[in-house]
């Protein structure tokens, strides 16, 4: 990924990743549930995203349908790497310690983390 999505672009991508191919109106309705977002603002952002290659646009019908051109896992991976490098001097363990130290992980999430650690330890044997 050569382009790092902006915060607003990430909001739109999250909708598209969860909902699938959608019109501007559908995306705008979902975005407006969390914060006031004008239709024309969403339209302009999605047009710019199409120009940048972040989304694709199907123009075969009157209402254009957009879908993500980049995968969620790739965006998360790139953003996480930049965060680890910028804020934690490249230390993934410092990131994890800080994140878990905030006390926001649920019991179920902690169990998932324990399973992942056990799995990773098993792979290293």
């Amino acid at each position: 990924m050569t382009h790092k999505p902006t915060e607003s672009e990430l909001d739109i991508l999250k909708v598209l990743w969860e909902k699938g191919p959608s019109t501007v109106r559908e995306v705008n309705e979902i975005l407006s549930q969390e914060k006031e977002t004008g239709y024309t603002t969403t339209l302009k952002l999605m047009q710019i995203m199409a120009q940048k290659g972040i989304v694709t646009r199907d123009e075969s019908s009157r209402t254009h349908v957009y879908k993500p051109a980049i995968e969620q896992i790739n965006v998360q991976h790139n953003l996480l790497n930049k965060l680890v490098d910028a804020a934690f001097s490249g230390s993934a363990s410092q990131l994890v310690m800080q994140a878990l130290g905030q006390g926001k992980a649920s019991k179920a999430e902690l169990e998932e983390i324990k399973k992942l650690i056990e799995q990773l330890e098993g792979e290293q044997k």
Side-chain angles (χ1 to χ4, degrees):
M1 179 179 74
T2 58
H3 175 73
K4 178 185 164 227
T6 65
E7 188 175 330
S8 295
E9 290 170 345
L10 273 174
D11 290 341
I12 291 169
L13 282 170
K14 287 178 199 173
V15 171
L16 294 173
W17 287 324
E18 287 180 26
K19 188 177 182 325
S22 305
T23 64
V24 173
R25 186 158 312 284
E26 292 169 329
V27 171
N28 188 68
E29 286 174 4
I30 292 170
L31 292 175
S32 293
Q33 292 173 3
E34 292 194 19
K35 66 179 178 180
E36 187 60 35
T37 307
Y39 174 84
T40 55
T41 301
T42 303
L43 171 63
K44 188 64 181 167
L45 274 169
M46 292 178 76
Q47 289 171 336
I48 291 168
M49 291 170 72
Q51 290 172 347
K52 291 178 177 178
I54 297 172
V55 297
T56 60
R57 176 175 50 211
D58 179 357
E59 301 175 4
S60 62
S61 65
R62 185 173 174 270
T63 54
H64 298 172
V65 176
Y66 291 79
K67 66 180 183 179
I70 51 181
E71 292 187 33
Q72 184 174 14
I73 191 73
N74 292 340
V75 172
Q76 290 172 336
H77 180 78
N78 287 332
L79 290 174
L80 184 60
N81 281 341
K82 287 180 183 186
L83 175 64
V84 169
D85 289 342
F88 298 96
S89 302
S91 173
S93 65
Q94 285 185 15
L95 168 75
V96 172
M97 300 287 270
Q98 181 69 26
L100 293 178
Q102 298 295 317
K104 294 183 180 180
S106 69
K107 190 171 184 97
E109 289 172 324
L110 291 173
E111 287 300 319
E112 285 184 55
I113 292 166
K114 286 178 189 175
K115 287 179 187 175
L116 176 60
I117 290 170
E118 290 169 2
Q119 176 187 344
L120 292 172
E121 288 176 339
E123 290 174 3
Q124 291 182 353
K125 290 181 182 179

